[in-house]
Structures are given as structure tokens and as C-alpha cells.
Amino acid sequence: MYTLPTVEDTHAFGRRLAGILRAGDLVVLSGPLGAGKTAMAQGVGAGLDVRGSVTSPTFVIARVHQPDRAGGVPMVHVDAYRFGTLADPRAEIDDLDLDASVEDSVTLVEWGEGMVEQLADSHLEVRIDRRDDDTRVVELIGHGGDWPVRVEKLDG
Ligand SMILES: Nc1ncnc2c1ncn2[C@@H]1O[C@H](COP(=O)(O)OP(=O)(O)OP(=O)(O)O)[C@@H](O)[C@H]1O
Ligand SMILES: [Mg+2]
């Protein structure tokens, strides 16, 4: 559990998180409205060195940010509010026919509370919560694959 007092701390945490991410990853950002999911995605985007400003994909379902350096990976940023509930967002996102495939990208999905449980495939859950004093707390929960090991690497 990490405490993030300001939005800058959330950005910094996202940049650090980017260090353990690689192509094919699915990262689910969960938390209530205004928790800081998009702010976290901005930090990850900065850490991955992707182009374009990372904003709330409210009027589009998903947006691709191409890497700005050789050997970089694209970041696919999705707002799942538009999706409703899905067991396999990866397949759904590939069906959108974006200019990137999820297996070659890092995919970040902003997901509402209580929507993560039905996710079947391996993924990293980044659970952000808002405290009464307006600070945020974040918890990383690795589901399947080598996520537990990678989460430990970040924690250590
Ligand atoms: N520690 C913090 N981390 C993140 N955001 C913070 C923090 N403190 C304050 N904020 C503010 O809270 C708001 C969070 O907005 P953001 O769009 O990132 O949330 P969200 O979870 O993506 O919301 P939505 O559910 O609408 O997609 C921003 O205005 C941001 O500046
Ligand atoms: Mg958002």
C-alpha cells in the first residue's frame, strides 16, 4: 500500500510502475470516480515515453499512444465505462482495430469499482482509493502470470 498525497506523487508512481511493464501487459486501473486513474495513466505514459497527452478517453473508447523512442512500446489507454462488463477486454480491444495490437502494447484500462472481479486473464490490478483528506492510496495486486514477482520487484 502506497500513500500518494498529491497528483504529482501519482504521476511519479506511474513512471516507476512503467519500469516493470512490457509488451502484452494488461493493467487495470480501478477506483471510484476521480480516484486518479487517468493521472496514473499519465505517469505510466511518461515512463514509457509515449507521444500525445494522456487524457480521459471519454469520447473515444480507446486511444493509442505510440512510443517516442526506438524499441519503445505503444500504450493503449481504454476507458471501460464505455464497455460495461467484459470477461476478456483484450479480445474486445483487438476487435476495435486500433493501430496497435494488445500483444505488442501495454494496455491500460480504466475500470470502475467492482468490475475487475470478472477478469479472467492475467493482469495487474492497480487499485486507487481516495481518503477523506483527499490523499490517495494505491495497492498493486498481481493476478496470474509472473505479476506477483514483478510487483515484489517494484516494492523492493
Ligand atoms: N494524489 C492524487 N492523485 C491523483 N489525483 C489527484 C490527487 N490529488 C488530487 N487529485 C486530483 O483528482 C482528480 C483525479 O482525476 P483523474 O481524472 O485522474 O481521476 P479518474 O479516476 O481518472 O476519474 P474518472 O473516474 O472520471 O475517470 C484530478 O483533478 C487530480 O488533480
Ligand atoms: Mg479517468
Side-chain angles (χ1 to χ4, degrees), residues 1 5 7 10 14 28 34 57 63 72 78 86 106 110 117 123 127 131 148 151:
M1 192 84 99
V7 67
T10 300
V28 177
R63 193 175 281 138
V78 184
L86 299 172
V106 166
E110 291 193 32
E117 288 69 25
H123 61 278
R127 191 183 291 171
R131 290 246 164 97
V151 166

Side-chain angles (χ1 to χ4, degrees), residues 37-38 56 79 110:
K37 302 180 290 293
T38 300
S56 217
D79 198 328
E110 291 193 32

Side-chain angles (χ1 to χ4, degrees), residues 70-114:
V73 288
M75 181 176 103
V76 177
H77 183 204
V78 184
D79 198 328
Y81 286 111
R82 305 290 298 273
F83 271 175
T85 53
L86 299 172
D88 186 2
R90 261 186 263 246
E92 215 77 22
I93 293 159
D94 262 343
D95 276 351
L96 294 174
D97 208 14
L98 300 168
D99 222 12
S101 75
V102 289
E103 78 203 47
D104 298 325
S105 311
V106 166
T107 301
L108 260 64
V109 182
E110 291 193 32
W111 213 288
E113 278 179 304

Side-chain angles (χ1 to χ4, degrees), residues 39-54:
M40 185 67 75
Q42 288 165 349
V44 172
L48 293 175
D49 257 323
V50 296
R51 283 185 221 138
S53 56
V54 177

